[in-house]
Amino acid sequence: DTGVSQNPRHKITKRGQNVTFRCDPISEHNRLYWYRQTLGQGPEFLTYFQNEAQLEKSRLLSDRFSAERPKGSFSTLEIQRTEQGDSAMYLCASSLKGQGRVYEQYFGPGTRLTVT
Amino acid sequence: QKEVEQNSGPLSVPEGAIASLNCTYSDRGSQSFFWYRQYSGKSPELIMFIYSNGDKEDGRFTAQLNKASQYVSLLIRDSQPSDSATYLCAGNNDMRFGAGTRLTVKP
């Protein structure tokens, strides 16, 4: 399977705990995106990387959220001191940027976070 | 102001009818647009993209782009119950998604 993979698929945690999610993009893709989605809403942009550089981070993103893509391959998203409002599906997507053009994104299956 | 607006629906059409989904955008930096389909509990999957003004057809799907008016639409011909899902659009410049349009195709 050469698609985008995410781990874990489900995470239940208690309020105040830290959680970390991992995303492995399609191997030749140089862009990687993180989104958050709650019921009835479209994916909300969180941040994206081009290779290892984090190029944009949503202004709505709390300082409790941090993302890395240290070698330009897989990425991690960490949420510190989780709150019940963080409960959502966290989606990762990857795409290719080249020749001055951004190509379509392909999504992973998502990580569903439940904060109790 | 949201960068992408969609008629949130829900939209209900009978089987075999044409479903029309619309999206308007404010970011003129986007040169291409993508339509995704999302089944309940699943992640979005790409169904079409369009770069140029005009129509692009792919099977039962037709995407339409009008850069002057800043709208993009998706037509689904001969709608099937399996098309029942939420449809999302996004521009390539910022990949911001609208809330999506929930489509139900009734047998």
Side-chain angles (χ1 to χ4, degrees), chain B residues 4-80:
Chain B
V4 175
E5 297 277 356
Q6 291 187 252
N7 48 334
S8 58
L11 176 66
S12 180
V13 300
E15 184 175 355
I18 295 175
S20 176
L21 307 162
N22 300 309
C23 179
T24 58
Y25 62 94
S26 58
D27 177 20
R28 287 192 178 273
S30 285
Q31 297 301 310
S32 53
F33 292 85
F34 308 104
W35 280 100
Y36 290 82
R37 176 176 61 200
Q38 187 174 27
Y39 292 113
S40 180
K42 301 294 186 181
S43 59
E45 59 177 325
L46 180 73
I47 52 174
M48 280 201 75
F49 54 88
I50 184 166
Y51 299 117
S52 304
N53 271 330
D55 296 359
K56 178 183 178 183
E57 187 174 318
D58 184 0
R60 295 185 298 111
F61 299 94
T62 299
Q64 299 173 319
L65 175 59
N66 184 321
K67 292 185 180 182
S69 300
Q70 295 182 260
Y71 83 78
V72 58
S73 62
L74 181 70
L75 300 178
I76 306 174
R77 292 183 300 281
D78 189 22
S79 296
Q80 302 297 309

Side-chain angles (χ1 to χ4, degrees), chain A residues 31 33 35 37 40-43 45 56 59 89 91 101-110 112, chain B residues 2-3 32 34 36 38 41-46 49 51 88 92-100:
Chain A
R31 280 205 172 178
Y33 303 77
Y35 296 89
Q37 188 174 30
Q41 300 298 313
F45 171 80
E56 188 176 353
R59 289 170 293 175
M89 176 74 85
L91 295 166
R101 178 180 139 186
V102 177
Y103 292 81
E104 59 277 9
Q105 293 185 356
Y106 293 89
F107 283 83
R112 182 166 296 283
Chain B
K2 287 186 177 180
E3 290 87 350
S32 53
F34 308 104
Y36 290 82
Q38 187 174 27
K42 301 294 186 181
S43 59
E45 59 177 325
L46 180 73
F49 54 88
Y51 299 117
L88 303 159
N92 75 315
N93 191 46
D94 58 9
M95 290 306 296
R96 301 298 194 264
F97 286 89

